[in-house]
Structure formats: C-alpha cells, structure tokens
Amino acid sequence: MSRWTPLLMDEASLGAMPGLPLDEVMQHAHLVAAQRLKPTELYERWERQQWSAVDIPLERDRENFDRLLPEGFRKVVSESIATFIIGEYTGLDMLGPIISGSPDERYSVFLGTQIADETRHTHLVFRLGEEILGMDADPGRMLAESWRLAAPAHRELSLLEAGIVRDLQHRPLDYRQWLRAVALFHLVTEGVLALVGQRVLVRALRDVDLLDGVKTAFTAMCRDESRHVGFGLHALRTGVLEGYHDDICEVLELAVPLALRIDQETSAGTNRDFRRMSLDILRRHLRLVGIDEKFQERLIADATGAARTGADAHPTSS
C-alpha cells in the first residue's frame, strides 16, 4: 500500500495534491462508489473536503505554459480547460431543476452541496481560461471561445441536456423525469465525461513539474466528482428498485453514444486508451446501479458502433 491511503487522499490539502500518486487519484472515485454511500454520508464527506478556488496559485503555471510546456501538452491542457468551461457552466443549468424536483429532503441537502461545488468549479475553470490560456475574462466571450474548441458531439449532448431539463421544468414533481435528468447528468456527464477528462489531464501531467496549479485544480475537482457520482448512483439504484429501470435506460441509449463520440473526437491520438477508460467506468457504474446485464452489453456495443460512425461523419480538425 502506498503512503497515500484513500482516507489520506480524502483529507489531502490543496498543497499536497500535485504530489498524490497517480494510482490513488485514478482509483479514488471507484473506491467511493463501491462503498455505496447514502446522501447523508456524502454530505458529511463534503463538510470535511472544503477548499477554495481562489487559493490555487496560477502565476508560475501561466509562465511555464507559455515558455516551457511542449506544444503537445499545451494542446491537451487547452482542450481540457475549454471542455470544462462548458461543462461546469452548463452543469449549473441542469442542477437547478434537479434540486427543485428532488423527491427526498436528504437528496436536496446533498444537492445543495453539489451546486456549491459546481459554482466553485465554474469560478476555477474561468480562472484557468483567463490566467492560463489568456482568454477574454468576460464569461460570455470565454464560453463562445470554448465552444469553438469543443468537439462537435458536445453540441448534440447540449441539445439533449436542454430537452431533458425542459421536460423536468415543465413537470418538476415527475419522478420519472427527475431520474432521466439524473441519469444524464450524474451518470453520463459527470460519471463518465467529467471523471475521465479530469483523470486524463492529471495523468498527462504526472511527470511534468510545470503546471502544479492546473494539477491541483483538476485533482480537487476529481475528488468532488466522486461525491457527485456517488449520489447519482444511489439515486438511480433506488429508482431501478422502484421500477424505473427502462426510463433510465432510454436516456442512456441517447446519451452514451454521444459521450463516446466526444471521447473519440477529443482524444485525437494523444490518449489512445481514452475510450477504454470511459467504457470501464461506464460498466462499473451500470453494475452498481443495477442495470440489466444484457442491456449493458447491447448498449455498449451499439454505442461504440454509433460513436465510431458519428466520428467518421464529423472528423476532427487536428
């Protein structure tokens, strides 16, 4: 066992995060998910894991990014930051209706912490965009510039998210619609795309002592993500037990192919096992939720084929 047990990683300060062993960061969300924590327990973890988005120093990172970082790393960092500028900001839009339609007071208490996390993350990635990439500080212009760097499938996923949020806003107390929104946001957007994106960047920079601020930022967000995903798995597992298995699966059939296409369109030769990591996480989460095994295999087979076809129709510009 390494010096950093999962418990010590849970309690790591911002200053310690750049030095965390990579395996501990990569496995942390799996270890949290496997505990099947309840919303109250996840809330207690949130209380212990507070950190400040304004306390991460970025001045040295900006200088090293411009002067010393190899071009290939600059591309990976730039795409990652742009993707998270979009993801964190739009995540706030989805969480509003999700907390409004929450079917349980304990769920609502935890979701309040997640809104606080997403707000902190949004401020942080805006800082990264401005201070590392030199983007316009105006949020609207920064978002527009980030969309230009994003994979084409991101726009399709955004349209799907908008439709599901609209349905939930029209029927805020419809438990079925609420579970569909949680399946999309917590299982796919957070549980696959965000978690994999954070891990890929942390791993890409593991041997680069030039961007400790960026490594700290993405490691801290990854730790937060483990709580968010843990909540989603609990809520969806409960929904499956209550008879909403097929409603959850309907959303997965729409969203998973887009998530895999985003993987394919953003990896561009720099992260060959990007998709393998996504599929491994997806399978783990589907098992924990209690999704039918035959459906899992069909979903992954169909989604992999659809993602490959979609990426061929929308080639990257690298």
Side-chain angles (χ1 to χ4, degrees), residues 285-298:
H285 290 170
L286 293 176
R287 286 196 296 268
L288 286 169
V289 168
I291 299 298
D292 177 77
E293 290 186 10
K294 290 183 178 179
F295 174 83
Q296 289 184 41
E297 293 307 314
R298 179 171 61 81

Side-chain angles (χ1 to χ4, degrees), residues 85-101 114-115 118-119 122 126 143 147 158 161-169 181 184-186 189:
I85 287 171
I86 295 168
E88 298 298 341
Y89 186 79
T90 56
L92 288 173
D93 291 336
M94 287 205 73
L95 273 174
I98 288 174
I99 194 170
S100 296
Q114 189 173 349
I115 287 182
E118 300 296 351
T119 302
T122 299
F126 280 178
L143 282 164
W147 273 116
S158 180
E161 289 173 342
I164 287 180
V165 165
R166 184 171 58 250
D167 291 342
L168 183 56
Q169 287 173 326
L184 175 57
F185 186 57
H186 288 81
T189 303

Side-chain angles (χ1 to χ4, degrees), residues 34-297:
Q35 294 178 55
R36 301 192 176 207
L37 299 174
K38 297 179 180 179
T40 301
E41 296 170 306
L42 292 166
Y43 172 85
E44 292 169 355
R45 290 174 70 87
W46 176 80
E47 287 276 17
R48 296 193 301 268
Q49 295 175 345
Q50 294 298 301
W51 56 280
S52 171
V54 301
D55 286 345
I56 298 177
L58 297 176
E59 294 82 1
R60 181 168 172 253
D61 286 51
R62 173 60 189 271
E63 182 178 343
N64 290 340
F65 182 85
D66 288 339
R67 294 177 53 245
L68 300 176
L69 197 69
E71 182 178 351
F73 283 106
R74 286 202 301 272
K75 184 177 186 296
V76 171
V77 173
S78 298
E79 288 183 350
S80 295
I81 292 173
T83 297
F84 277 89
I85 287 171
I86 295 168
E88 298 298 341
Y89 186 79
T90 56
L92 288 173
D93 291 336
M94 287 205 73
L95 273 174
I98 288 174
I99 194 170
S100 296
S102 170
D104 186 293
E105 289 78 8
R106 290 162 296 187
Y107 286 12
S108 299
V109 170
F110 175 79
L111 288 166
T113 73
Q114 189 173 349
I115 287 182
D117 287 343
E118 300 296 351
T119 302
R120 181 186 296 118
H121 296 178
T122 299
H123 180 79
L124 178 56
V125 294
F126 280 178
R127 278 193 68 203
L128 295 174
E130 179 184 359
E131 299 178 36
I132 302 297
L133 303 186
M135 289 180 167
D136 194 305
D138 177 77
R141 294 193 182 97
M142 190 180 294
L143 282 164
E145 187 173 350
S146 297
W147 273 116
R148 286 195 291 271
L149 296 173
H154 266 295
R155 296 188 180 277
E156 295 180 51
L157 183 63
S158 180
L159 291 174
L160 177 60
E161 289 173 342
I164 287 180
V165 165
R166 184 171 58 250
D167 291 342
L168 183 56
Q169 287 173 326
H170 289 163
R171 296 189 293 277
L173 300 181
D174 187 327
Y175 185 45
R176 171 180 170 274
Q177 292 295 340
W178 187 83
L179 287 170
R180 287 167 59 86
V182 170
L184 175 57
F185 186 57
H186 288 81
L187 183 55
V188 178
T189 303
E190 297 258 273
V192 177
L193 289 174
L195 204 56
V196 171
Q198 290 155 355
R199 289 177 173 187
V200 165
L201 183 62
V202 171
R203 186 174 63 181
L205 298 178
R206 62 181 169 177
D207 297 322
V208 179
D209 294 325
L210 299 174
L211 298 179
D212 277 0
V214 174
K215 282 192 280 188
T216 298
F218 278 84
T219 302
M221 289 193 293
C222 194
R223 185 171 68 180
D224 289 350
E225 220 72 74
S226 70
R227 296 192 304 272
H228 306 167
V229 174
F231 169 80
L233 296 178
H234 172 85
L236 294 172
R237 186 162 53 244
T238 301
V240 167
L241 292 173
E242 293 174 342
Y244 293 90
H245 176 277
D246 292 349
D247 298 295
I248 294 167
C249 290
E250 285 179 9
V251 174
L252 297 177
E253 287 179 315
L254 296 172
V256 170
L258 294 175
L260 296 185
R261 262 186 55 201
I262 291 170
D263 284 354
Q264 187 153 324
E265 292 170 358
T266 56
S267 57
T270 58
N271 300 299
R272 295 294 184 182
D273 59 347
F274 205 96
R275 172 170 294 184
R276 184 175 61 189
M277 190 188 304
S278 297
L279 292 174
D280 175 63
I281 291 174
L282 179 63
R283 285 191 174 98
R284 288 172 184 260
H285 290 170
L286 293 176
R287 286 196 296 268
L288 286 169
V289 168
I291 299 298
D292 177 77
E293 290 186 10
K294 290 183 178 179
F295 174 83
Q296 289 184 41
E297 293 307 314

